[in-house]
Amino acid sequence: MNLDFDAVRRAQRRLEGLARRTPVLTSAHFDALAGGRVFFKCENFQRVGAFKFRGAANAVFSLSDTDAARGVATHSSGNHGQALALAAKLRGIPATVVMPDNAPRIKRAAVEGYGANIVFCAPTQADREHTLAAVVAKSGAHVVHPYEDWDVMAGQGTAAAELCAEVPDLDLVLAPIGGGGLISGTSVSVKALAPGARVIGAEPAGADDAWRSLRAGRRVTDVKPDTIADGLRATVGENTFGIISRLVADIVRVDDAAIVRAMRLVWERLKIVIEPSSAVPVAALTEHAVDAQGLRVGVILTGGNVDLDRLPWQSVQIDIPPG
């Protein structure tokens, strides 16, 4: 199987009445910083507070009744786990989410609140996958992988499809990269609807396996993630890297201090709540890791699930410019 725009279109039809069509916001301040016109696709207003609901719901509602009856399972640091939990609840089937034991408290609470069972594991990719395999062996649940699942990728691509339909003639689309599901779906949608636009991924410098992989021409899997952007600590997948290597023009890196500055700036200027992972492509613009001079730029703000008792600018030393 593979991913094409027909799959994204099917996902759009399947998600009608399930996923929200999120707003696109603009800001003269960010336009001035970037030197172009910036359009923010606000997936922080999506159900569960993140774009992940699109992919999870598409995957869950794609299942046959027989497969759905087995329940679903995944591993996730939070947003995909929440999304799968809600999608399973809406379909009336059980869900189990394997979560690293350092996952943010607010995301653990949300997964439980949507009715899923949580199984904790050590915070490494290998432990996630080993624990999930044990859960599936015991329960027989259908695995909905957070980014390697084709239906998940197709669902994620609907955000960019909406953006391109609402904002014509984009020159550039920016999205963050963790496992690569979002940027895979994004790149397929942009190629179909805005073929002249480039798609660029943004990644934390402390979790830059996708950046290294693109330059090596093969997946680099030995990076130990160390970043405040908890949603981007996953290693880029085999399926997603195949799409990224064909359709993504470049990947840029930003450090944690830049991520926190960008996150705070969005809170202050756009008056909306985003999480660190969402701020990564914003930082790519504000730190000029990407040249946006004179361009029309779409930015996917991926989510807004933040522990308000542990705001990152309280723990990461950053310099806040005046004004």
Side-chain angles (χ1 to χ4, degrees):
M1 189 174 176
N2 210 320
L3 178 66
D4 57 24
F5 191 61
D6 285 341
V8 176
R9 284 295 196 210
R10 288 194 298 273
Q12 284 188 299
R13 293 190 291 270
R14 192 173 289 119
L15 292 175
E16 288 181 5
L18 287 170
R20 294 172 182 154
R21 187 180 183 97
T22 54
V24 175
L25 300 184
T26 59
S27 162
H29 184 75
F30 281 99
D31 289 350
L33 286 176
R37 288 280 284 141
V38 185
F39 303 88
F40 295 100
K41 178 64 170 170
C42 296
E43 286 295 291
N44 51 318
F45 294 124
Q46 188 53 260
R47 296 182 78 165
V48 311
F51 78 97
K52 292 282 192 177
F53 181 73
R54 295 176 181 270
N58 188 50
V60 166
F61 282 86
S62 296
L63 294 175
S64 67
D65 289 343
T66 300
D67 285 340
R70 294 158 45 197
V72 290
T74 195
H75 65 73
S76 169
S77 63
N79 283 343
H80 177 68
Q82 295 177 61
L84 188 68
L86 177 56
K89 181 179 180 179
L90 292 172
R91 186 151 185 190
I93 60 175
T96 299
V97 180
V98 173
M99 298 190 75
D101 54 21
N102 65 347
R105 177 188 56 82
I106 187 173
K107 295 183 179 181
R108 298 197 304 265
V111 171
E112 291 174 336
Y114 289 124
N117 176 51
I118 296 178
V119 177
F120 290 105
C121 68
T124 69
Q125 189 77 9
D127 280 300
R128 284 187 184 206
E129 293 173 356
H130 176 77
T131 306
L132 178 59
V135 166
V136 171
K138 183 177 180 180
S139 67
H142 179 89
V143 175
V144 180
H145 195 277
Y147 47 87
E148 285 281 75
D149 185 294
W150 298 110
D151 288 321
V152 167
M153 284 185 257
Q156 317 305 31
T158 63
E162 291 176 7
L163 173 63
C164 291
E166 185 167 342
V167 184
D169 301 323
L170 287 171
D171 301 300
L172 180 63
V173 176
L174 299 177
I177 295 184
L182 173 65
I183 203 160
S184 294
T186 295
S187 61
V188 167
S189 290
V190 171
K191 180 182 179 182
L193 298 175
R198 292 178 299 142
V199 175
I200 292 180
E203 194 170 36
D208 64 350
D209 59 286
W211 180 88
R212 297 187 194 196
S213 297
L214 192 63
R215 278 149 183 79
R218 58 175 177 79
R219 287 176 69 230
V220 175
T221 60
D222 59 354
V223 175
K224 295 183 179 179
D226 181 14
T227 176
I228 196 168
D230 62 281
L232 304 181
R233 292 173 185 157
T235 302
V236 69
E238 290 185 14
N239 293 338
T240 57
F241 182 65
I243 297 171
I244 290 166
S245 60
R246 288 188 294 107
L247 299 181
V248 173
D250 198 7
I251 298 171
V252 297
R253 302 177 295 179
V254 291
D255 64 28
D256 274 10
I259 294 168
V260 175
R261 282 194 296 270
M263 176 180 170
R264 180 166 176 158
L265 193 60
V266 168
W267 283 42
E268 291 176 343
R269 293 292 180 163
L270 289 182
K271 314 302 182 187
I272 60 174
V273 173
I274 64 167
E275 60 191 87
S277 298
S278 282
V280 174
V282 183
L285 280 180
T286 57
E287 303 290 324
H288 303 290
V290 171
D291 182 6
Q293 190 68 38
L295 301 182
R296 292 168 62 81
V297 183
V299 179
I300 300 181
L301 298 179
T302 50
N305 293 313
V306 181
D307 186 344
L308 297 180
D309 292 325
R310 289 183 172 85
L311 295 177
W313 42 84
Q314 297 170 342
S315 59
V316 174
Q317 185 63 42
I318 61 171
D319 297 318
I320 305 296

